[in-house]
Structures are given as structure tokens and as C-alpha cells.
């Protein structure tokens, strides 16, 4: 599974961005997709997940209510809508595909390249 992440950028606090995770194939609907982020000097952390069986969604507490993960109708693109962004959201964001809603980055087999999100005034 080849993934391509995009949509990062520089935004002011309180602003919004939408990240996209696309695959050129048609297998993404059969995998759980997760968004991770990694700030400098920090471990890569999972922040949002969408299941492939039932579309179940999960978020970590720090993004709950601000971020929304979703799939398009084909299932081949997964989005992360990020609203009310805060400076502490600054990180490189990655999408990953795997067999379940794993919490650790090393449990995922496929990764997109990172996209930088910077929240600053």
C-alpha cells in the first residue's frame, strides 16, 4: 500500500487545515488508517484512527472535538480536518495503514511521507 500525505502548512492559532492521505491503488478501504504526528524531540504519537470494518473513529483527548477523521466515498482517501489549531499541534503529520487500530507507530506496515503543520502567529 503506497500512501501520500498532503495538506500541511503554516496557520495561525485558531485556524484550520485539512490533511489528505491518498493511495493510488484501491486497497485502502480494507485497512484501518491512522494519523500520527511527531514534534521535534518527541516520539511519534497516534492521534486519530478510522476503522475499515465499521468506520469506527477514535481520537486522543488532546484533539477530540477539534480534529475529525473521515474517508471519501471510495475509501481511498482519508482526511484529517483540523480546527481550532494550537501551537502545540505543530508537528510533522503522517498517515499510516494497518490491520487494526494500533496505538504504536511500529505496529503499522505502511506509511505516507510526512507533511509539516506549523501553528504560529
Amino acid at each position: 500500500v503506497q500512501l501520500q500525505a498532503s495538506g500541511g502548512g503554516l496557520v495561525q492559532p485558531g485556524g484550520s487545515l485539512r490533511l489528505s492521505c491518498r493511495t493510488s491503488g484501491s486497497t485502502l478501504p480494507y485497512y484501518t488508517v491512522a494519523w500520527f504526528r511527531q514534534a521535534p524531540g518527541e516520539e511519534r504519537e497516534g492521534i486519530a484512527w478510522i476503522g475499515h470494518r465499521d468506520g469506527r473513529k477514535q481520537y486522543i483527548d488532546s484533539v477530540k472535538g477539534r480534529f475529525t477523521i473521515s474517508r471519501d466515498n471510495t475509501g481511498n482517501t482519508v482526511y484529517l480536518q483540523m480546527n481550532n489549531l494550537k501551537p502545540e499541534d505543530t508537528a510533522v503529520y503522517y498517515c499510516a495503514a494497518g490491520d487494526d487500530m494500533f496505538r504504536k507507530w511500529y505496529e503499522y506496515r505502511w506509511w505516507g511521507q510526512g507533511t509539516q503543520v506549523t501553528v504560529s502567529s
Side-chain angles (χ1 to χ4, degrees):
V1 180
Q2 293 186 326
L3 305 175
Q4 183 174 9
S6 62
L10 172 64
V11 64
Q12 292 185 343
S16 298
L17 284 173
R18 189 177 77 161
L19 306 184
S20 299
C21 179
R22 293 184 173 87
T23 181
S24 57
S26 58
T27 57
L28 198 59
Y30 302 103
Y31 294 99
T32 289
V33 175
W35 283 97
F36 281 73
R37 67 185 179 187
Q38 188 167 21
E42 302 288 333
E43 185 178 7
R44 191 172 298 187
E45 67 167 347
I47 60 172
W49 296 261
I50 186 165
H52 61 285
R53 298 184 185 92
D54 54 8
R56 183 166 52 104
K57 303 175 184 180
Q58 293 186 359
Y59 304 91
I60 60 171
D61 287 345
S62 61
V63 308
K64 202 174 294 183
R66 300 188 298 123
F67 291 9
T68 303
I69 190 170
S70 63
R71 291 184 190 261
D72 71 353
N73 289 338
T74 69
N76 288 318
T77 301
V78 171
Y79 301 103
L80 185 68
Q81 177 68 42
M82 306 187 295
N83 298 328
N84 191 21
L85 282 160
K86 304 176 181 181
E88 52 263 42
D89 294 317
T90 295
V92 178
Y93 284 68
Y94 302 86
C95 60
D99 297 324
D100 210 333
M101 291 186 172
F102 303 121
R103 288 298 185 264
K104 297 297 185 180
W105 61 267
Y106 49 77
E107 296 178 289
Y108 286 84
R109 287 187 281 175
W110 300 288
W111 288 89
Q113 84 288 4
T115 184
Q116 176 71 46
V117 172
T118 303
V119 184
S120 174
S121 55

